[in-house]
Amino acid sequence: MNLEFIELDLDWSYELRVFDLKNYILSELMKYGEPLRWAITSVTTHSEKKIQIISVEAVLVINQDKSKGINLVLN
């Protein structure tokens, strides 16, 4: 197992309630590994697209099999 740092930019549509945001972020992070720590580092509003962009930084626990071939700094 390895610890890896990633950065993600996620689309947050206005239909997604703030109470569901944590589960949304965790489900996106689980695609890359098991989240150990994570934080929202910025939120940018795009009113013409009716979305917000959430920047997330995370430390993930990665199995050695999963870490091969993954670009862990994603934007």
Side-chain angles (χ1 to χ4, degrees):
M1 283 194 231
N2 294 322
L3 294 179
E4 299 289 342
F5 174 82
I6 68 167
E7 297 175 318
L8 292 174
D9 288 336
L10 303 173
D11 293 343
W12 178 17
S13 69
Y14 289 110
E15 290 85 31
L16 183 64
R17 300 176 332 149
V18 70
F19 298 109
D20 299 323
L21 189 57
K22 178 182 174 184
N23 288 336
Y24 169 65
I25 293 170
L26 286 173
S27 69
E28 291 297 312
L29 290 173
M30 289 295 291
K31 294 176 182 178
Y32 303 98
E34 183 179 344
L36 182 60
R37 295 184 63 91
W38 61 274
I40 296 172
T41 57
S42 71
V43 178
T44 306
T45 301
H46 293 277
S47 58
E48 68 279 356
K49 296 180 182 178
K50 297 185 178 179
I51 62 169
Q52 294 178 310
I53 304 297
I54 302 171
S55 296
V56 177
E57 294 181 354
V59 175
L60 304 176
V61 178
I62 307 282
N63 288 337
Q64 290 177 349
D65 297 338
K66 284 188 176 181
S67 66
K68 295 177 183 171
I70 294 177
N71 181 4
L72 294 174
V73 178
L74 306 171
N75 287 320

